[in-house]
PDB file of all heavy atoms in Angstrom:
ATOM      1  N   ALA R   1      24.038  31.838   5.910  1.00 90.00           N
ATOM      2  CA  ALA R   1      22.945  30.999   5.371  1.00 90.00           C
ATOM      3  C   ALA R   1      21.654  31.802   5.259  1.00 90.00           C
ATOM      4  O   ALA R   1      21.202  32.390   6.265  1.00 90.00           O
ATOM      5  CB  ALA R   1      22.756  29.786   6.260  1.00 90.00           C
ATOM      6  N   GLY R   2      21.084  31.860   4.088  1.00 90.00           N
ATOM      7  CA  GLY R   2      19.833  32.549   3.876  1.00 90.00           C
ATOM      8  C   GLY R   2      19.941  34.052   3.817  1.00 90.00           C
ATOM      9  O   GLY R   2      18.964  34.765   3.586  1.00 90.00           O
ATOM     10  N   ILE R   3      21.144  34.575   4.040  1.00 91.00           N
ATOM     11  CA  ILE R   3      21.385  36.038   3.999  1.00 91.00           C
ATOM     12  C   ILE R   3      22.057  36.404   2.676  1.00 91.00           C
ATOM     13  O   ILE R   3      21.542  37.219   1.897  1.00 91.00           O
ATOM     14  CB  ILE R   3      22.244  36.476   5.183  1.00 91.00           C
ATOM     15  CG1 ILE R   3      21.513  36.174   6.494  1.00 91.00           C
ATOM     16  CG2 ILE R   3      22.562  37.967   5.085  1.00 91.00           C
ATOM     17  CD1 ILE R   3      22.331  36.437   7.730  1.00 91.00           C
ATOM     18  N   SER R   4      23.198  35.809   2.408  1.00 90.00           N
ATOM     19  CA  SER R   4      23.886  36.023   1.134  1.00 90.00           C
ATOM     20  C   SER R   4      24.101  34.744   0.370  1.00 90.00           C
ATOM     21  O   SER R   4      24.669  34.756  -0.716  1.00 90.00           O
ATOM     22  CB  SER R   4      25.214  36.739   1.359  1.00 90.00           C
ATOM     23  OG  SER R   4      26.072  35.952   2.196  1.00 90.00           O
ATOM     24  N   THR R   5      23.716  33.609   0.960  1.00 91.00           N
ATOM     25  CA  THR R   5      23.862  32.320   0.297  1.00 91.00           C
ATOM     26  C   THR R   5      22.561  31.532   0.338  1.00 91.00           C
ATOM     27  O   THR R   5      21.708  31.767   1.211  1.00 91.00           O
ATOM     28  CB  THR R   5      24.981  31.453   0.939  1.00 91.00           C
ATOM     29  OG1 THR R   5      24.572  31.124   2.285  1.00 91.00           O
ATOM     30  CG2 THR R   5      26.298  32.192   0.972  1.00 91.00           C
ATOM     31  N   ALA R   6      22.430  30.637  -0.605  1.00 92.00           N
ATOM     32  CA  ALA R   6      21.300  29.708  -0.634  1.00 92.00           C
ATOM     33  C   ALA R   6      21.763  28.457  -1.368  1.00 92.00           C
ATOM     34  O   ALA R   6      22.800  28.479  -2.028  1.00 92.00           O
ATOM     35  CB  ALA R   6      20.078  30.330  -1.316  1.00 92.00           C
ATOM     36  N   SER R   7      21.000  27.392  -1.244  1.00 92.00           N
ATOM     37  CA  SER R   7      21.417  26.165  -1.905  1.00 92.00           C
ATOM     38  C   SER R   7      20.200  25.411  -2.458  1.00 92.00           C
ATOM     39  O   SER R   7      19.095  25.539  -1.920  1.00 92.00           O
ATOM     40  CB  SER R   7      22.168  25.251  -0.922  1.00 92.00           C
ATOM     41  OG  SER R   7      21.311  24.870   0.156  1.00 92.00           O
ATOM     42  N   VAL R   8      20.437  24.690  -3.547  1.00 93.00           N
ATOM     43  CA  VAL R   8      19.446  23.790  -4.086  1.00 93.00           C
ATOM     44  C   VAL R   8      20.042  22.379  -4.008  1.00 93.00           C
ATOM     45  O   VAL R   8      21.065  22.106  -4.611  1.00 93.00           O
ATOM     46  CB  VAL R   8      19.104  24.139  -5.546  1.00 93.00           C
ATOM     47  CG1 VAL R   8      18.092  23.129  -6.111  1.00 93.00           C
ATOM     48  CG2 VAL R   8      18.551  25.559  -5.641  1.00 93.00           C
ATOM     49  N   LEU R   9      19.404  21.504  -3.224  1.00 89.00           N
ATOM     50  CA  LEU R   9      19.945  20.175  -2.986  1.00 89.00           C
ATOM     51  C   LEU R   9      19.620  19.224  -4.134  1.00 89.00           C
ATOM     52  O   LEU R   9      18.903  19.586  -5.078  1.00 89.00           O
ATOM     53  CB  LEU R   9      19.411  19.641  -1.677  1.00 89.00           C
ATOM     54  CG  LEU R   9      19.624  20.528  -0.440  1.00 89.00           C
ATOM     55  CD1 LEU R   9      19.113  19.871   0.826  1.00 89.00           C
ATOM     56  CD2 LEU R   9      21.101  20.897  -0.278  1.00 89.00           C
ATOM     57  N   ALA R  10      20.150  18.023  -4.061  1.00 88.00           N
ATOM     58  CA  ALA R  10      20.002  17.054  -5.161  1.00 88.00           C
ATOM     59  C   ALA R  10      18.547  16.718  -5.464  1.00 88.00           C
ATOM     60  O   ALA R  10      18.166  16.487  -6.602  1.00 88.00           O
ATOM     61  CB  ALA R  10      20.772  15.789  -4.843  1.00 88.00           C
ATOM     62  N   ASP R  11      17.682  16.747  -4.425  1.00 90.00           N
ATOM     63  CA  ASP R  11      16.281  16.431  -4.655  1.00 90.00           C
ATOM     64  C   ASP R  11      15.438  17.653  -4.982  1.00 90.00           C
ATOM     65  O   ASP R  11      14.219  17.585  -5.069  1.00 90.00           O
ATOM     66  CB  ASP R  11      15.687  15.741  -3.428  1.00 90.00           C
ATOM     67  CG  ASP R  11      15.711  16.637  -2.172  1.00 90.00           C
ATOM     68  OD1 ASP R  11      16.307  17.726  -2.253  1.00 90.00           O
ATOM     69  OD2 ASP R  11      15.176  16.206  -1.126  1.00 90.00           O
ATOM     70  N   GLY R  12      16.102  18.815  -5.159  1.00 93.00           N
ATOM     71  CA  GLY R  12      15.412  20.037  -5.486  1.00 93.00           C
ATOM     72  C   GLY R  12      15.082  20.921  -4.320  1.00 93.00           C
ATOM     73  O   GLY R  12      14.578  22.033  -4.480  1.00 93.00           O
ATOM     74  N   SER R  13      15.343  20.442  -3.090  1.00 92.00           N
ATOM     75  CA  SER R  13      15.016  21.218  -1.897  1.00 92.00           C
ATOM     76  C   SER R  13      15.823  22.507  -1.870  1.00 92.00           C
ATOM     77  O   SER R  13      17.019  22.521  -2.178  1.00 92.00           O
ATOM     78  CB  SER R  13      15.298  20.405  -0.641  1.00 92.00           C
ATOM     79  OG  SER R  13      14.493  19.251  -0.600  1.00 92.00           O
ATOM     80  N   ILE R  14      15.170  23.584  -1.456  1.00 93.00           N
ATOM     81  CA  ILE R  14      15.815  24.900  -1.347  1.00 93.00           C
ATOM     82  C   ILE R  14      16.083  25.192   0.115  1.00 93.00           C
ATOM     83  O   ILE R  14      15.166  25.097   0.968  1.00 93.00           O
ATOM     84  CB  ILE R  14      14.945  25.996  -1.966  1.00 93.00           C
ATOM     85  CG1 ILE R  14      14.653  25.705  -3.422  1.00 93.00           C
ATOM     86  CG2 ILE R  14      15.613  27.360  -1.814  1.00 93.00           C
ATOM     87  CD1 ILE R  14      13.641  26.652  -4.044  1.00 93.00           C
ATOM     88  N   SER R  15      17.328  25.526   0.427  1.00 91.00           N
ATOM     89  CA  SER R  15      17.708  25.807   1.818  1.00 91.00           C
ATOM     90  C   SER R  15      18.733  26.938   1.821  1.00 91.00           C
ATOM     91  O   SER R  15      19.220  27.349   0.783  1.00 91.00           O
ATOM     92  CB  SER R  15      18.277  24.549   2.471  1.00 91.00           C
ATOM     93  OG  SER R  15      18.662  24.791   3.798  1.00 91.00           O
ATOM     94  N   GLY R  16      19.008  27.428   3.015  1.00 90.00           N
ATOM     95  CA  GLY R  16      19.968  28.515   3.132  1.00 90.00           C
ATOM     96  C   GLY R  16      21.403  28.077   2.992  1.00 90.00           C
ATOM     97  O   GLY R  16      22.277  28.887   2.696  1.00 90.00           O
ATOM     98  N   CYS R  17      21.681  26.775   3.182  1.00 88.00           N
ATOM     99  CA  CYS R  17      23.052  26.267   3.114  1.00 88.00           C
ATOM    100  C   CYS R  17      23.006  24.746   3.004  1.00 88.00           C
ATOM    101  O   CYS R  17      22.187  24.109   3.659  1.00 88.00           O
ATOM    102  CB  CYS R  17      23.816  26.679   4.386  1.00 88.00           C
ATOM    103  SG  CYS R  17      25.481  25.992   4.511  1.00 88.00           S
ATOM    104  N   PRO R  18      23.849  24.144   2.189  1.00 85.00           N
ATOM    105  CA  PRO R  18      23.824  22.673   2.039  1.00 85.00           C
ATOM    106  C   PRO R  18      24.276  21.941   3.309  1.00 85.00           C
ATOM    107  O   PRO R  18      24.052  20.736   3.420  1.00 85.00           O
ATOM    108  CB  PRO R  18      24.803  22.414   0.877  1.00 85.00           C
ATOM    109  CG  PRO R  18      25.690  23.623   0.841  1.00 85.00           C
ATOM    110  CD  PRO R  18      24.816  24.750   1.262  1.00 85.00           C
ATOM    111  N   SER R  19      24.905  22.650   4.242  1.00 82.00           N
ATOM    112  CA  SER R  19      25.357  22.009   5.479  1.00 82.00           C
ATOM    113  C   SER R  19      24.238  21.844   6.507  1.00 82.00           C
ATOM    114  O   SER R  19      24.365  21.112   7.488  1.00 82.00           O
ATOM    115  CB  SER R  19      26.500  22.799   6.110  1.00 82.00           C
ATOM    116  OG  SER R  19      27.632  22.795   5.262  1.00 82.00           O
ATOM    117  N   ILE R  20      23.134  22.538   6.302  1.00 83.00           N
ATOM    118  CA  ILE R  20      22.013  22.478   7.239  1.00 83.00           C
ATOM    119  C   ILE R  20      21.303  21.135   7.062  1.00 83.00           C
ATOM    120  O   ILE R  20      21.234  20.596   5.950  1.00 83.00           O
ATOM    121  CB  ILE R  20      21.051  23.652   7.006  1.00 83.00           C
ATOM    122  CG1 ILE R  20      21.772  24.973   7.310  1.00 83.00           C
ATOM    123  CG2 ILE R  20      19.804  23.533   7.863  1.00 83.00           C
ATOM    124  CD1 ILE R  20      20.969  26.206   6.955  1.00 83.00           C
ATOM    125  N   ARG R  21      20.759  20.594   8.147  1.00 77.00           N
ATOM    126  CA  ARG R  21      20.108  19.268   8.102  1.00 77.00           C
ATOM    127  C   ARG R  21      19.073  19.219   6.975  1.00 77.00           C
ATOM    128  O   ARG R  21      18.418  20.204   6.630  1.00 77.00           O
ATOM    129  CB  ARG R  21      19.476  18.963   9.456  1.00 77.00           C
ATOM    130  CG  ARG R  21      18.339  19.887   9.832  1.00 77.00           C
ATOM    131  CD  ARG R  21      17.871  19.619  11.250  1.00 77.00           C
ATOM    132  NE  ARG R  21      16.696  20.371  11.607  1.00 77.00           N
ATOM    133  CZ  ARG R  21      16.697  21.662  11.949  1.00 77.00           C
ATOM    134  NH1 ARG R  21      17.839  22.314  11.997  1.00 77.00           N
ATOM    135  NH2 ARG R  21      15.561  22.278  12.239  1.00 77.00           N
ATOM    136  N   ALA R  22      18.937  18.047   6.397  1.00 71.00           N
ATOM    137  CA  ALA R  22      18.142  17.841   5.178  1.00 71.00           C
ATOM    138  C   ALA R  22      16.669  18.163   5.371  1.00 71.00           C
ATOM    139  O   ALA R  22      15.972  18.531   4.425  1.00 71.00           O
ATOM    140  CB  ALA R  22      18.321  16.410   4.690  1.00 71.00           C
ATOM    141  N   ASN R  23      16.145  17.974   6.605  1.00 74.00           N
ATOM    142  CA  ASN R  23      14.702  18.170   6.800  1.00 74.00           C
ATOM    143  C   ASN R  23      14.345  19.621   7.120  1.00 74.00           C
ATOM    144  O   ASN R  23      13.197  19.920   7.449  1.00 74.00           O
ATOM    145  CB  ASN R  23      14.180  17.255   7.908  1.00 74.00           C
ATOM    146  CG  ASN R  23      14.820  17.550   9.256  1.00 74.00           C
ATOM    147  OD1 ASN R  23      15.818  18.267   9.319  1.00 74.00           O
ATOM    148  ND2 ASN R  23      14.272  16.988  10.315  1.00 74.00           N
ATOM    149  N   PHE R  24      15.308  20.540   7.064  1.00 80.00           N
ATOM    150  CA  PHE R  24      15.020  21.934   7.320  1.00 80.00           C
ATOM    151  C   PHE R  24      15.233  22.686   5.991  1.00 80.00           C
ATOM    152  O   PHE R  24      16.293  23.176   5.696  1.00 80.00           O
ATOM    153  CB  PHE R  24      15.935  22.491   8.409  1.00 80.00           C
ATOM    154  CG  PHE R  24      15.603  23.910   8.795  1.00 80.00           C
ATOM    155  CD1 PHE R  24      14.461  24.179   9.546  1.00 80.00           C
ATOM    156  CD2 PHE R  24      16.397  24.973   8.411  1.00 80.00           C
ATOM    157  CE1 PHE R  24      14.142  25.486   9.907  1.00 80.00           C
ATOM    158  CE2 PHE R  24      16.093  26.278   8.780  1.00 80.00           C
ATOM    159  CZ  PHE R  24      14.954  26.522   9.517  1.00 80.00           C
ATOM    160  N   HIS R  25      14.130  22.752   5.210  1.00 86.00           N
ATOM    161  CA  HIS R  25      14.213  23.471   3.937  1.00 86.00           C
ATOM    162  C   HIS R  25      12.935  24.275   3.756  1.00 86.00           C
ATOM    163  O   HIS R  25      11.911  24.045   4.415  1.00 86.00           O
ATOM    164  CB  HIS R  25      14.451  22.517   2.783  1.00 86.00           C
ATOM    165  CG  HIS R  25      13.522  21.349   2.729  1.00 86.00           C
ATOM    166  ND1 HIS R  25      12.219  21.431   2.292  1.00 86.00           N
ATOM    167  CD2 HIS R  25      13.699  20.055   3.116  1.00 86.00           C
ATOM    168  CE1 HIS R  25      11.631  20.247   2.379  1.00 86.00           C
ATOM    169  NE2 HIS R  25      12.502  19.383   2.876  1.00 86.00           N
ATOM    170  N   GLN R  26      12.967  25.204   2.840  1.00 90.00           N
ATOM    171  CA  GLN R  26      11.879  26.172   2.698  1.00 90.00           C
ATOM    172  C   GLN R  26      11.081  26.019   1.401  1.00 90.00           C
ATOM    173  O   GLN R  26      10.174  26.803   1.151  1.00 90.00           O
ATOM    174  CB  GLN R  26      12.448  27.603   2.774  1.00 90.00           C
ATOM    175  CG  GLN R  26      12.872  28.040   4.171  1.00 90.00           C
ATOM    176  CD  GLN R  26      14.101  27.269   4.647  1.00 90.00           C
ATOM    177  OE1 GLN R  26      15.094  27.197   3.934  1.00 90.00           O
ATOM    178  NE2 GLN R  26      14.037  26.694   5.848  1.00 90.00           N
ATOM    179  N   GLY R  27      11.423  25.071   0.570  1.00 92.00           N
ATOM    180  CA  GLY R  27      10.687  24.868  -0.663  1.00 92.00           C
ATOM    181  C   GLY R  27      11.399  23.876  -1.541  1.00 92.00           C
ATOM    182  O   GLY R  27      12.382  23.249  -1.132  1.00 92.00           O
ATOM    183  N   ASN R  28      10.907  23.754  -2.760  1.00 93.00           N
ATOM    184  CA  ASN R  28      11.527  22.828  -3.714  1.00 93.00           C
ATOM    185  C   ASN R  28      11.514  23.477  -5.093  1.00 93.00           C
ATOM    186  O   ASN R  28      10.509  24.008  -5.526  1.00 93.00           O
ATOM    187  CB  ASN R  28      10.771  21.500  -3.749  1.00 93.00           C
ATOM    188  CG  ASN R  28      11.548  20.429  -4.482  1.00 93.00           C
ATOM    189  OD1 ASN R  28      11.659  20.448  -5.719  1.00 93.00           O
ATOM    190  ND2 ASN R  28      12.086  19.464  -3.725  1.00 93.00           N
ATOM    191  N   ILE R  29      12.641  23.408  -5.764  1.00 94.00           N
ATOM    192  CA  ILE R  29      12.815  24.086  -7.057  1.00 94.00           C
ATOM    193  C   ILE R  29      11.870  23.551  -8.113  1.00 94.00           C
ATOM    194  O   ILE R  29      11.539  24.223  -9.092  1.00 94.00           O
ATOM    195  CB  ILE R  29      14.294  23.985  -7.519  1.00 94.00           C
ATOM    196  CG1 ILE R  29      14.602  25.043  -8.572  1.00 94.00           C
ATOM    197  CG2 ILE R  29      14.597  22.595  -8.044  1.00 94.00           C
ATOM    198  CD1 ILE R  29      14.611  26.445  -8.064  1.00 94.00           C
ATOM    199  N   TYR R  30      11.396  22.307  -7.924  1.00 94.00           N
ATOM    200  CA  TYR R  30      10.488  21.710  -8.896  1.00 94.00           C
ATOM    201  C   TYR R  30       9.052  22.211  -8.716  1.00 94.00           C
ATOM    202  O   TYR R  30       8.208  22.041  -9.626  1.00 94.00           O
ATOM    203  CB  TYR R  30      10.526  20.187  -8.800  1.00 94.00           C
ATOM    204  CG  TYR R  30      11.871  19.599  -9.144  1.00 94.00           C
ATOM    205  CD1 TYR R  30      12.622  18.947  -8.175  1.00 94.00           C
ATOM    206  CD2 TYR R  30      12.405  19.705 -10.435  1.00 94.00           C
ATOM    207  CE1 TYR R  30      13.868  18.401  -8.491  1.00 94.00           C
ATOM    208  CE2 TYR R  30      13.641  19.197 -10.746  1.00 94.00           C
ATOM    209  CZ  TYR R  30      14.368  18.525  -9.786  1.00 94.00           C
ATOM    210  OH  TYR R  30      15.603  18.011 -10.083  1.00 94.00           O
ATOM    211  N   LYS R  31       8.749  22.794  -7.568  1.00 94.00           N
ATOM    212  CA  LYS R  31       7.381  23.250  -7.309  1.00 94.00           C
ATOM    213  C   LYS R  31       7.286  24.752  -7.062  1.00 94.00           C
ATOM    214  O   LYS R  31       6.257  25.372  -7.302  1.00 94.00           O
ATOM    215  CB  LYS R  31       6.836  22.522  -6.091  1.00 94.00           C
ATOM    216  CG  LYS R  31       6.703  21.011  -6.257  1.00 94.00           C
ATOM    217  CD  LYS R  31       6.044  20.367  -5.073  1.00 94.00           C
ATOM    218  CE  LYS R  31       6.878  20.574  -3.783  1.00 94.00           C
ATOM    219  NZ  LYS R  31       6.265  19.881  -2.616  1.00 94.00           N
ATOM    220  N   ASP R  32       8.370  25.346  -6.549  1.00 94.00           N
ATOM    221  CA  ASP R  32       8.345  26.749  -6.137  1.00 94.00           C
ATOM    222  C   ASP R  32       9.315  27.585  -6.962  1.00 94.00           C
ATOM    223  O   ASP R  32      10.319  27.086  -7.466  1.00 94.00           O
ATOM    224  CB  ASP R  32       8.706  26.855  -4.640  1.00 94.00           C
ATOM    225  CG  ASP R  32       7.864  25.929  -3.783  1.00 94.00           C
ATOM    226  OD1 ASP R  32       6.631  26.063  -3.830  1.00 94.00           O
ATOM    227  OD2 ASP R  32       8.461  25.087  -3.080  1.00 94.00           O
ATOM    228  N   LYS R  33       9.024  28.867  -7.022  1.00 94.00           N
ATOM    229  CA  LYS R  33       9.963  29.803  -7.664  1.00 94.00           C
ATOM    230  C   LYS R  33      11.027  30.172  -6.654  1.00 94.00           C
ATOM    231  O   LYS R  33      10.735  30.577  -5.525  1.00 94.00           O
ATOM    232  CB  LYS R  33       9.204  31.036  -8.131  1.00 94.00           C
ATOM    233  CG  LYS R  33       8.285  30.809  -9.305  1.00 94.00           C
ATOM    234  CD  LYS R  33       7.662  32.125  -9.776  1.00 94.00           C
ATOM    235  CE  LYS R  33       6.773  31.898 -10.990  1.00 94.00           C
ATOM    236  NZ  LYS R  33       6.168  33.147 -11.448  1.00 94.00           N
ATOM    237  N   PHE R  34      12.272  30.079  -7.098  1.00 94.00           N
ATOM    238  CA  PHE R  34      13.366  30.350  -6.176  1.00 94.00           C
ATOM    239  C   PHE R  34      13.288  31.743  -5.615  1.00 94.00           C
ATOM    240  O   PHE R  34      13.512  31.987  -4.419  1.00 94.00           O
ATOM    241  CB  PHE R  34      14.719  30.142  -6.900  1.00 94.00           C
ATOM    242  CG  PHE R  34      15.913  30.425  -6.045  1.00 94.00           C
ATOM    243  CD1 PHE R  34      16.407  29.438  -5.200  1.00 94.00           C
ATOM    244  CD2 PHE R  34      16.522  31.672  -6.035  1.00 94.00           C
ATOM    245  CE1 PHE R  34      17.512  29.694  -4.375  1.00 94.00           C
ATOM    246  CE2 PHE R  34      17.600  31.912  -5.225  1.00 94.00           C
ATOM    247  CZ  PHE R  34      18.112  30.946  -4.393  1.00 94.00           C
ATOM    248  N   ILE R  35      12.969  32.722  -6.450  1.00 94.00           N
ATOM    249  CA  ILE R  35      12.962  34.121  -5.991  1.00 94.00           C
ATOM    250  C   ILE R  35      11.883  34.335  -4.915  1.00 94.00           C
ATOM    251  O   ILE R  35      12.075  35.148  -3.989  1.00 94.00           O
ATOM    252  CB  ILE R  35      12.742  35.097  -7.166  1.00 94.00           C
ATOM    253  CG1 ILE R  35      13.012  36.535  -6.772  1.00 94.00           C
ATOM    254  CG2 ILE R  35      11.355  34.935  -7.778  1.00 94.00           C
ATOM    255  CD1 ILE R  35      14.440  36.800  -6.360  1.00 94.00           C
ATOM    256  N   ASP R  36      10.758  33.587  -5.023  1.00 94.00           N
ATOM    257  CA  ASP R  36       9.734  33.701  -3.983  1.00 94.00           C
ATOM    258  C   ASP R  36      10.232  33.142  -2.655  1.00 94.00           C
ATOM    259  O   ASP R  36       9.956  33.723  -1.580  1.00 94.00           O
ATOM    260  CB  ASP R  36       8.467  32.945  -4.417  1.00 94.00           C
ATOM    261  CG  ASP R  36       7.751  33.632  -5.587  1.00 94.00           C
ATOM    262  OD1 ASP R  36       7.991  34.848  -5.777  1.00 94.00           O
ATOM    263  OD2 ASP R  36       7.004  32.958  -6.288  1.00 94.00           O
ATOM    264  N   ILE R  37      10.922  32.032  -2.717  1.00 93.00           N
ATOM    265  CA  ILE R  37      11.509  31.448  -1.491  1.00 93.00           C
ATOM    266  C   ILE R  37      12.525  32.412  -0.897  1.00 93.00           C
ATOM    267  O   ILE R  37      12.530  32.656   0.321  1.00 93.00           O
ATOM    268  CB  ILE R  37      12.160  30.093  -1.784  1.00 93.00           C
ATOM    269  CG1 ILE R  37      11.130  29.105  -2.342  1.00 93.00           C
ATOM    270  CG2 ILE R  37      12.836  29.516  -0.531  1.00 93.00           C
ATOM    271  CD1 ILE R  37      10.015  28.773  -1.420  1.00 93.00           C
ATOM    272  N   TRP R  38      13.383  32.958  -1.735  1.00 94.00           N
ATOM    273  CA  TRP R  38      14.421  33.877  -1.266  1.00 94.00           C
ATOM    274  C   TRP R  38      13.818  35.114  -0.590  1.00 94.00           C
ATOM    275  O   TRP R  38      14.294  35.543   0.472  1.00 94.00           O
ATOM    276  CB  TRP R  38      15.301  34.281  -2.441  1.00 94.00           C
ATOM    277  CG  TRP R  38      16.354  35.303  -2.112  1.00 94.00           C
ATOM    278  CD1 TRP R  38      16.272  36.659  -2.228  1.00 94.00           C
ATOM    279  CD2 TRP R  38      17.631  35.046  -1.501  1.00 94.00           C
ATOM    280  NE1 TRP R  38      17.425  37.256  -1.802  1.00 94.00           N
ATOM    281  CE2 TRP R  38      18.281  36.295  -1.356  1.00 94.00           C
ATOM    282  CE3 TRP R  38      18.290  33.885  -1.133  1.00 94.00           C
ATOM    283  CZ2 TRP R  38      19.547  36.402  -0.817  1.00 94.00           C
ATOM    284  CZ3 TRP R  38      19.584  34.018  -0.588  1.00 94.00           C
ATOM    285  CH2 TRP R  38      20.190  35.252  -0.450  1.00 94.00           C
TER     286      TRP R  38
END
């Protein structure tokens, strides 16, 4: 998670893995650039 994988959830949240709890995310695809989050 966050090393070779990442996920974009249904609400646009960016996280290292879709299995991680919903409130632990690092950005949102609608507001942030994915490459900056990565």
